Amino acid sequence: MAPWVSLFFIYLALLSGLCFAADPFVFYDFKVSYITASPLGVPQQVIAINGNFPGPPINATTNNNVVVNVKNELDENLLLTWPGIQMRRDSWEDGVLGTNCPIPPKWNYTYQFQVKDQIGSFFYFPSLNFQRASGGFGPFILNNRDIIAIPFPKPDGDIVILIGDWYTRNHTALRADLDSGKDLGMPDGVLINGKGPYRYNTTLVPDGIKYESIQVDPGKTYRVRVHNVGISTSLNFRIQNHTMLLVETEGYYTIQQNFSTFDIHVGQSYSFLVTMNQNISSDFYIVASARFVNESVWQRVTGVAILHYSDSTRPASGPLPDVSADIYNSWSAMTQPRSIKVNTTASGARPNPQGSYHYGQINVTDTYILQSLPPVSIDGKFRTTFNGISFVNPDTPIRLADQHNVKGAYKLDFPTKPLNRTPRVDTSVINATYKGFIEVILQNNDTKLQSFHMDGYSFWVVGMDFGNWTESDRSSYNKWDAISRSTVEVYPGGWTAILASLDNVGVWNLRAENLDRWYLGQETYMRIINPEENGDTEFAAPNNVLFCGALKSLQKDQPSAAISNLGGRFKVFFTLIVGLFASIFTLS
Ligand SMILES: *[C@@H]1O[C@H](CO)[C@@H](O)[C@H](O)[C@H]1NC(C)=O
Ligand SMILES: *[C@@H]1O[C@H](CO)[C@@H](O)[C@H](O)[C@H]1NC(C)=O
Ligand SMILES: *[C@@H]1O[C@H](CO)[C@@H](O)[C@H](O)[C@H]1NC(C)=O
Ligand SMILES: *[C@@H]1O[C@H](CO)[C@@H](O)[C@H](O)[C@H]1NC(C)=O
Ligand SMILES: *[C@@H]1O[C@H](CO)[C@@H](O)[C@H](O)[C@H]1NC(C)=O
Ligand SMILES: *[C@@H]1O[C@H](CO)[C@@H](O)[C@H](O)[C@H]1NC(C)=O
Ligand SMILES: *[C@@H]1O[C@H](CO)[C@@H](O)[C@H](O)[C@H]1NC(C)=O
Ligand SMILES: *[C@@H]1O[C@H](CO)[C@@H](O)[C@H](O)[C@H]1NC(C)=O
Ligand SMILES: *[C@@H]1O[C@H](CO)[C@@H](O)[C@H](O)[C@H]1NC(C)=O
Ligand SMILES: *[C@@H]1O[C@H](CO)[C@@H](O)[C@H](O)[C@H]1NC(C)=O
Ligand SMILES: *[C@@H]1O[C@H](CO)[C@@H](O)[C@H](O)[C@H]1NC(C)=O
Ligand SMILES: *[C@@H]1O[C@H](CO)[C@@H](O)[C@H](O)[C@H]1NC(C)=O
């Protein structure tokens, strides 16, 4: 920790009670740059944070103020986004193009936000230009405050595992393929924590690839946080001979269940408790393999890491553990996501039970059916759609346009259901009702499994099935212990129904988390504004807000001669500290 940081904490302690800053701060400096790495044995351009791929963990506690100074050393625009982190009243820090101007090359931007009333396992990633395909991602851990009980014994350790499909082509090459109407084709492999597969089979895995090895002590129980940070491949995760007890997903404690294999779709995060209760003289395989595909064709697309018992003398051996038996009837795997329920009696970020909010009794105010179709050609371009609209980002971010009276930046006419008309490209946004209770039916008429994500909120996953959703399906909704999360799977030819309480003012991205589908236009935003806004329901734009589009002339040049690492909102506070410093100085 830099000395000024600890000084800052001391002053914070001195000043606590004086203003909003009673909750502690955590600070990070992120330099985002290209490095050359060879995760699959082929040298390629990879996006690193402070020279590391994957990026370092952000490790914070409920209600902390998180400050991340992001320096863009890439040759193109950048934004980091923090999916699942709710950014209460603060879409200014969300890091997507509809709400934030991009950080140009050589510039920096200091994100500052409070992780209000949340716990759980998340990850961050770069949201623009297909950059996630080249890296730039890392874990985001939100610990509970010490005074809040967790619904399981304190684990002996914490292990983060980032799994994801990977191409040896860089993100600019992949982007060029999509732009020219090509499908990306099969990935070249699956990485585990940025590393290629262990050589479990000499035919399938070339020599000399660096693999991940995770050391554990026999008899201990670890919390293993697994995230699918990949582009578009659903992965099945398993650890040879070990049972995984599911305990948490994206910020909510689940009913605890044992699994030997688990499907994790793009953008999803899960915590499992794993006890190291196997033969202590052996190592074991950790596997993440492509799901719902022809396994013999996709054999190469398998991530393999090693679970290394500290006293082990024997390498992992035998065939890789099998995916569950339902591989032969793979769609029946929907039983797995359907079984994920919230533990209504466990405390979440607060001491009261997670289930005490009776969402099942609230009347729905608005229903949106969002239909996704396979890519289509619109004006000669390869595009994807929700309800026939392929989203293009506004030149001026939505909320910034509102506040500076920029007209025509976007339209508030997003259709509530699929319309029988020619698909088009548009900046069409949902006019959502503040304090409304929204029902969204995700109808996947595409041929691939899709992950759907909502920024700024968690939603209840109340139903999931095959076929077309009809109103009568509402009678089958889970109205009592549905899981809350922010990224949910939607099976091809099926639907998923979610409910959300629109109490978080701002403009929030809804999107396909599958990167190719998202890149080609499968997203929109919900604009949620308190009609009686009095300055309390939404934060004002931060002082360091970046300007672009119609407001470009308001942007001052960088690098600015600022006095410290602290961004806009802390400047007033900083002045206070300088004042205090000065007075201490004068007194002594
Ligand atoms: C990315 O890939 C393209 C196409 O292969 C190549 O021309 C370009 O140099 C690569 N970029 C970097 C920085 O490696
Ligand atoms: C995160 O911080 C907690 C304490 O606040 C610490 O116990 C834990 O080891 C840290 N985890 C990581 C991954 O740094
Ligand atoms: C960029 O970083 C500098 C300090 O490193 C800081 O003073 C400045 O506010 C940052 N710029 C933005 C827009 O956050
Ligand atoms: C739910 O949480 C409670 C309270 O922490 C815990 O005692 C119980 O074991 C949990 N139940 C399940 C099924 O996970
Ligand atoms: C390695 O994989 C190849 C191709 O699938 C297979 O034919 C062979 O039996 C495997 N070797 C071992 C030792 O499992
Ligand atoms: C894993 O379990 C199987 C079946 O119980 C057993 O035959 C095998 O020896 C175990 N593998 C290791 C490495 O302990
Ligand atoms: C999970 O499996 C372990 C044994 O591996 C068992 O002790 C435990 O009771 C199981 N938990 C649940 C919730 O089924
Ligand atoms: C562990 O594996 C070793 C080597 O295969 C074997 O000799 C030993 O009996 C095993 N121990 C147990 C408890 O299964
Ligand atoms: C929901 O709507 C029904 C019928 O319109 C009404 O009777 C009921 O009071 C409403 N419930 C709530 C909680 O507003
Ligand atoms: C958005 O919704 C509000 C409240 O329902 C309504 O008053 C307003 O006219 C709508 N705006 C547009 C552009 O449709
Ligand atoms: C679902 O709806 C589409 C039209 O939107 C229709 O073509 C299709 O046949 C329906 N599928 C089923 C299984 O009813
Ligand atoms: C998609 O919709 C078409 C007609 O609109 C229908 O024929 C087809 O069965 C649907 N496919 C899936 C996977 O839902």
Side-chain angles (χ1 to χ4, degrees), residues 397-473:
I398 296 164
R399 208 58 193 124
L400 210 52
D402 288 349
Q403 300 202 339
H404 291 265
N405 267 313
V406 176
K407 300 277 177 246
Y410 62 92
K411 294 181 204 156
L412 273 180
D413 62 352
F414 195 88
T416 57
K417 52 177 192 285
L419 299 175
N420 195 6
R421 64 180 186 203
T422 322
R424 62 189 161 94
V425 169
D426 211 342
T427 307
S428 178
V429 169
I430 293 180
N431 183 16
T433 317
Y434 175 56
K435 295 210 164 153
F437 197 70
I438 195 174
E439 175 189 41
V440 184
I441 315 300
L442 308 159
Q443 182 77 55
N444 185 357
N445 196 224
D446 199 342
T447 52
K448 288 174 66 173
L449 191 139
Q450 297 207 336
S451 297
F452 171 87
H453 175 82
M454 183 185 281
D455 275 353
Y457 288 92
S458 288
F459 47 72
W460 290 275
V461 182
V462 292
M464 192 182 285
D465 211 341
F466 290 104
N468 290 339
W469 178 87
T470 62
E471 292 196 9
S472 64
D473 286 314

Side-chain angles (χ1 to χ4, degrees), residues 230-369:
I231 300 167
S232 71
T233 307
S234 293
L235 296 173
N236 179 272
F237 181 80
R238 50 205 190 271
I239 305 176
Q240 188 183 23
N241 286 29
H242 288 74
T243 298
M244 307 186 293
L245 182 68
L246 173 70
V247 293
E248 179 251 345
T249 178
E250 296 159 19
Y252 289 84
Y253 295 116
T254 64
I255 293 287
Q256 296 169 13
Q257 286 185 76
N258 282 318
F259 290 96
S260 53
T261 86
F262 201 85
D263 293 339
I264 303 181
H265 305 284
V266 173
Q268 294 188 322
S269 300
Y270 287 97
S271 289
F272 304 95
L273 297 186
V274 182
T275 301
M276 303 306 155
N277 57 6
Q278 295 298 305
N279 191 324
I280 61 166
S281 61
S282 182
D283 285 355
F284 297 87
Y285 295 123
I286 298 172
V287 182
S289 64
R291 189 71 165 119
F292 307 142
V293 290
N294 182 334
E295 303 250 323
S296 54
V297 177
W298 283 61
Q299 209 164 19
R300 189 155 56 79
V301 189
T302 301
V304 185
I306 294 298
L307 185 74
H308 175 67
Y309 276 43
S310 49
D311 297 325
S312 149
T313 51
R314 226 168 1 129
S317 59
L320 295 184
D322 237 345
V323 196
S324 36
D326 60 19
I327 178 68
Y328 301 108
N329 179 13
S330 48
W331 302 116
S332 80
M334 198 188 265
T335 49
Q336 197 173 78
R338 275 179 180 157
S339 75
I340 304 168
K341 309 228 163 103
V342 75
N343 180 340
T344 55
T345 61
S347 297
R350 290 168 173 275
N352 48 315
Q354 300 183 126
S356 61
Y357 186 65
H358 293 163
Y359 70 90
Q361 284 149 40
I362 303 172
N363 289 332
V364 165
T365 56
D366 303 273
T367 296
Y368 277 81
I369 300 173

